[in-house]
Amino acid sequence: MGTFNHYVIVKLKDGVAVDELIQGLEKMVSGIDHVKSFEWGKDIESHDMLRQGFTHDFLMAFNRKEEFNAFQTHLTHLEFTRVFSPAIEKIVVLDFPSNLVKAPA
């Protein structure tokens, strides 16, 4: 069974309080039942040429696209975008259904 995923890769602006921003993001997704799972990470291994300036990634999974759509218009999400958007220098967003090939162990 696949999920619908919202994948965000960003380069944050200089001077952004990253820890506070991520704490706010964690709080936001914790308060929205539509989000099935949430993962984030900071790149520490890629070569600068491959990274192209992007530093952080965020992955949210939803059971169905309809839940993702509900998340997109959820008041808590809309409020958080007012904090998150100004902190971003570059962004890539991918919204896609996944095809599970090998389940986590």
Side-chain angles (χ1 to χ4, degrees):
M1 178 175 130
T3 57
F4 193 86
N5 298 298
H6 178 58
Y7 191 52
V8 178
I9 307 165
V10 298
K11 175 182 181 186
L12 299 172
K13 292 180 180 175
D14 290 338
V16 168
V18 176
D19 291 340
E20 289 178 24
L21 189 69
I22 291 173
Q23 287 173 359
L25 187 53
E26 290 175 351
K27 182 179 177 184
M28 186 256 314
V29 297
S30 295
I32 301 176
D33 291 337
H34 303 297
V35 180
K36 176 181 172 183
S37 67
F38 172 69
E39 301 175 46
W40 73 270
K42 179 179 179 185
D43 184 76
I44 59 170
E45 297 291 328
S46 298
H47 295 285
D48 288 338
M49 178 188 74
L50 298 174
R51 184 183 304 133
Q52 298 182 31
F54 293 98
T55 56
H56 293 78
D57 68 285
F58 307 97
L59 175 61
M60 294 177 209
F62 301 83
N63 286 320
R64 300 180 328 273
K65 185 176 180 186
E66 292 77 16
E67 290 179 355
F68 169 71
N69 292 339
F71 163 79
Q72 288 289 85
T73 59
H74 194 283
L75 181 60
T76 304
H77 173 249
L78 295 173
E79 288 174 353
F80 186 74
T81 60
R82 291 188 206 122
V83 174
F84 192 67
S85 294
I88 297 169
E89 184 172 322
K90 290 174 32 175
I91 189 169
V92 173
V93 177
L94 302 171
D95 299 317
F96 58 94
S98 65
N99 297 298
L100 184 61
V101 176
K102 181 177 179 182

